[in-house]
Amino acid sequence: MVSGGSAIRGSRVGSGPMGEQDRGIHAERISISYWDAMGNETVRHFAANLPEEEIPETIDSPSTGLPAGRDKNNPPQVAKNEPYKTHLAYVKERRTDAEAAQILDEALLKLRQRRGGA
């Protein structure tokens, strides 16, 4: 006795009243090429009857993980990563006491103008 799925031997699982020509390997497809900043090409296949606005302009390239676009001559640029800053780097960027006092005075003046005008 054989136990298994409910499919009859020789039948296609998932085939229904639509017919195989509407989906799967028999469906009409269009190929769209995407290029990333490294020049790698990725080809994606979409259903031929899919509206143009539903086809994405950019995807993530599977080979590099970078964004890839449909324009070969102008692919999306690689995002710039900011280097990790140490605490000392942040301390060096701190403003002087005179600059801090000027910023505080400007903020207080704006606050007083808003409250006086309201």
Side-chain angles (χ1 to χ4, degrees):
M1 195 161 142
V2 178
S3 63
S6 62
I8 300 170
R9 185 176 181 154
S11 68
R12 298 234 174 177
V13 174
S15 63
M18 283 183 10
E20 293 179 6
Q21 69 273 8
D22 296 328
R23 66 185 185 293
I25 60 171
H26 301 291
E28 291 184 34
R29 301 260 179 210
I30 57 171
S31 299
I32 306 281
S33 295
Y34 293 90
W35 286 272
D36 63 11
M38 307 296 281
N40 298 318
E41 180 183 11
T42 301
V43 179
R44 296 279 189 217
H45 303 280
F46 298 95
N49 59 359
L50 191 66
E52 182 69 26
E53 58 270 2
E54 290 189 24
I55 298 175
E57 286 294 321
T58 59
I59 62 168
D60 288 335
S61 175
S63 58
T64 59
L66 300 173
R70 294 169 68 177
D71 186 7
K72 181 178 183 178
N73 298 324
N74 192 17
Q77 296 297 318
V78 178
K80 293 182 180 180
N81 291 335
E82 292 290 328
Y84 175 76
K85 286 186 179 181
T86 62
H87 177 70
L88 184 59
Y90 282 108
V91 170
K92 288 180 181 177
E93 287 182 359
R94 286 185 184 160
R95 300 183 187 277
T96 63
D97 290 338
E99 290 174 329
Q102 181 185 0
I103 292 171
L104 179 62
D105 290 338
E106 289 173 5
L108 289 173
L109 180 64
K110 288 180 183 179
L111 183 62
R112 287 183 184 128
Q113 288 174 349
R114 285 185 193 159
R115 286 191 176 179

